Amino acid sequence: MSDHRLDTARRHSLFLARQLDNGKLKPEIFLPMLDKVLTEADFQAFADWDKIRVEENEEELARQLRELRRYVVSQIIVRDINRISDLNEVTRTITLFADFAVNTALDFAYAYYRDMYGTPIGRYTKSPQHLSVVAMGKAGGYELNVSSDIDLIFVYPESGDTDGRRERGNQEFFTKVGQKLIALLNDITADGQVFRVDMRLRPDGDSGALVLSETALEQYLITQGREWERYAWCKGRVVTPYPNGIKSLVRPFVFRKYLDYGAYEAMRKLHRQIRSEVSKKGMADNIKLGAGGIREVEFIAQIFQMIRGGQMRALQLKGTRETLEKLAESGIMPSENVETLLAAYRFLRDVEHRLQYWDDRQTQTLPASPEQRQLLAESMGFDDYADFLNALNQHRNQVNRLFNEILSEPEEQTQSNGEWQWVWQEKPDEEGRQCRLKAHGFDAEAVAARLDQIRNGHKYRHLSAHAQPRFDALVPLLVRAAAAQPNPTDTLMRLFDFLENISRRSAYLAFLNEHPQTLAQLAEIMSQSSWAAAYLNKYPILLDELISAQLLDTAFDWDKLAAELSDGIKTCGGDTEAQMDTLRHFQHAQVFRLAVQDLAGLWTVESLSDQLSALADTILAAALSCAWADMPKKHRDTPKFAIIGYGKLGGKELGYASDLDLVYLYDDPHPDAGDVYSRLARRLTNWLSAATGAGSLYETDLRLRPNGDAGFLAHSIAAFEKYQRENAWTWEHQSLTRARFICGSPEIQTAFDRIRTEILTAERDQTALAGEIIEMREKMFPTHPPADSNVKYARGGVVDVEFIVQYLILAHARKYPQLLDNYGNIALLNIAADCGLIDKTLAGQSRTAYRFYRQQQHNTKLRDAEKTEVTGELLAHYGNVRKLWREVFGEEAKTL
């Protein structure tokens, strides 16, 4: 067989050379295989597997599988050594072959024993039972090597008996099937072996049953599942096509509902054990288990899966590379670190394959002989072994560095703890403690009393053996962090509230112990804002955001974020509660990220409101899609429905705790449309407002819809138009000035924009309009007195600016349609001035005033500002807006 590709490859593989020299590879079969990526269709076409099964020719099946392996492995070697294939093709091809071999052997074994004992039947479902085979480890992640063994677990759905004359229990039947499957693949014959089969990852290992029911597996995982088994099952993949419930019962065991920072210590323990074995056996040259080897890359990927996989279903992946890529994409790991790891992983796996190609042995140890070293270097693209080794060591050093950064022991706290340990002694020197607290700026009596209350409280006394040492380690660190803030006592009290709140969640305590550097950041946030402190107390999962690479990145790509949210919802697999939780986690994370950036002075009030409004738009679009998908008895795939935002949402002036003023419209001729979309409206409102385990999203207000609380929840576009033309009050047209389409049917958007334009540009008696708006403003006085200390309702305050702008739109948009653009009040004042409708100087002063008011409102919410102080500056702003009021309405702004 002559082919330059073969000549190149055989130099680097004794195994391949033997197959070629012994005539084990027929040219007419082998050469065409070199020109393509192998698929299951190629494996199926290799032999008449159906005939073998019908004839129950076990010897022939074993022979054909072993012969097929010879061709597959040889094909992989030739394509890889010649750099025709990449790492993905190599690992995927051999894994697909393993899947095929398992299924082919299983089909044979099942048919063999079914003919003998009958079909196994479930005791409860009375339906035929099939064996599910779970591939673990590299086989589960599509990451096999050509010389790997395969780790398998056998599971069948339910107990019962076979229906043949020689009745057997399902357990016995499937045990026999499993044994035959193993023999068909694992036994060494004259033709070699298909795969070594390793069953030690099953429950109770070698001492456990070979097969078990799904119920038995679930019971084992709940009652006896160990930490290392979580990591093993992370890659578990069912490779057989039969219905099963394995995924749903394994997922909660592998992926915790909450962030699982306790996984760090478990992973460290596992790694220490491996390191100890490596050290004992002198395996420094082992590129898998040695420092900076393949295992460390896998550990890095898996630690993040374990910690976050329960919250981020997108991380519930099988492969190392795809997991690392997802970590970069989601900002959990810096992309440059991920690129470093991926490059090292590709290099190390290429080396591993070349070591195994040499003689078809499962080895990861670098060769000792000079000749083999030189050939290895050449196969990796280097002139000599020294250059190769230099490149290998660079990759391993980078992997080890990152591994140590991520999985190293928490920072030693001995010095800092020693300095502050007096704070948290069981029997403190009370006088000395109070003196020291006072010296650090604390209200010593209040802090000492709180410390004693915590120590003697039931929460602390009932902490688990894992949690209490973590709690004890944190208290002195929190006091130290609070002491560095300008309001140490307030900060510490908030930190203590938070600590007590999370004390039952040992994973959060673990987080703070794992990331002590975040304590200063946490203290600073809590020092600046009781609102942010309360938000963290309500959603402690947001602690995780403090170490996000995106925390202070103000570039919000809302299209990309919406796509990520959509992906997260899809991974919930139609689970309504999980989807609602995904929406809430997403919204809380973005709000917190904005709040931290806001406290750092990175946003103006207008820009922040734009971002909060974009976030609400994103949530509404996703919630609408979910609510419709969740609807029973739908008459169409896509609803002819839209959400219209009013008020602060419509004007893009949302704050952190703003309600959403919404109106729901539809345009659908179906006879049941009114009922269907009313049900959708109720469902959508529930999606937005209901509290789940992950908290809540928004309070919604639907009172601006036609006829208010007495009206339908959703209106047809025709009914909405008729109401606006014939029945709406002037105040409702004022509200329409701030309305905008948010999401839904594009046809409704077009219709709504037309109606809004026609209503707002209708001819009006300007004197009557002014009178109505003034009357509406004065009707507010009994419920919202115009006190100067209230920037919203004071004369010359927020509401007056809004009423001025609304009047200008209703009175003049017919002539100046640029006023219809919903840019917010600050921009609209400028547009009105450019149109000559108001004095430019007064417009500028009123814009400054409005911006000032919004900053005051914002500071009161986020920055613990007291009630607005009535200063000369504030009164001057009020005066300027009142002048504008007088210019627009021709009369003074009354206060009684």
Side-chain angles (χ1 to χ4, degrees), residues 40 43 49 61 65-66 68-69 94-108 150 181 184-185 194-195:
E40 186 183 346
F43 309 148
W49 306 105
L61 179 69
L65 282 173
R66 282 155 180 75
L68 175 54
R69 179 195 182 269
I94 194 64
T95 305
L96 288 175
F97 171 62
D99 290 359
F100 173 79
V102 165
N103 277 288
T104 303
L106 175 60
D107 289 348
F108 182 93
I150 52 175
L181 185 159
L184 283 165
L185 302 182
V194 188
F195 287 99

Side-chain angles (χ1 to χ4, degrees), residues 754-796:
R754 173 187 60 77
I755 294 164
R756 178 177 180 272
T757 297
E758 290 174 4
I759 295 298
L760 297 185
T761 57
E763 194 142 7
R764 289 179 172 83
D765 180 325
Q766 293 184 11
T767 304
L769 173 67
E772 288 181 58
I773 289 179
I774 291 167
E775 183 183 0
M776 176 64 61
R777 177 68 184 94
E778 291 171 1
K779 278 182 179 177
M780 293 180 176
F781 292 169
T783 52
H784 299 291
D788 285 344
S789 59
N790 188 326
V791 296
K792 181 172 182 179
Y793 292 107
R795 290 321 310 255

Side-chain angles (χ1 to χ4, degrees), residues 71-135:
Y71 278 93
V72 171
V73 170
S74 298
Q75 187 259 14
I76 290 171
I77 291 172
V78 174
R79 285 177 63 87
D80 191 10
I81 292 293
N82 284 279
R83 293 294 183 183
I84 301 166
S85 63
D86 59 8
L87 174 60
N88 184 61
E89 182 188 320
V90 171
T91 57
R92 191 168 185 82
T93 299
I94 194 64
T95 305
L96 288 175
F97 171 62
D99 290 359
F100 173 79
V102 165
N103 277 288
T104 303
L106 175 60
D107 289 348
F108 182 93
Y110 184 87
Y112 180 88
Y113 286 110
R114 185 186 55 202
D115 291 347
M116 196 177 294
Y117 301 119
T119 302
I121 302 297
R123 180 163 293 141
Y124 307 105
T125 61
K126 306 299 182 188
S127 60
Q129 303 287 294
H130 286 276
L131 188 69
S132 293
V133 179
V134 184

Side-chain angles (χ1 to χ4, degrees), residues 49-66:
W49 306 105
D50 290 337
K51 181 183 177 188
I52 293 171
R53 187 169 63 247
V54 169
E55 294 176 353
E56 292 189 354
N57 192 336
E58 189 170 332
E59 189 178 327
E60 180 64 8
L61 179 69
R63 190 184 69 78
Q64 290 284 9
L65 282 173
R66 282 155 180 75

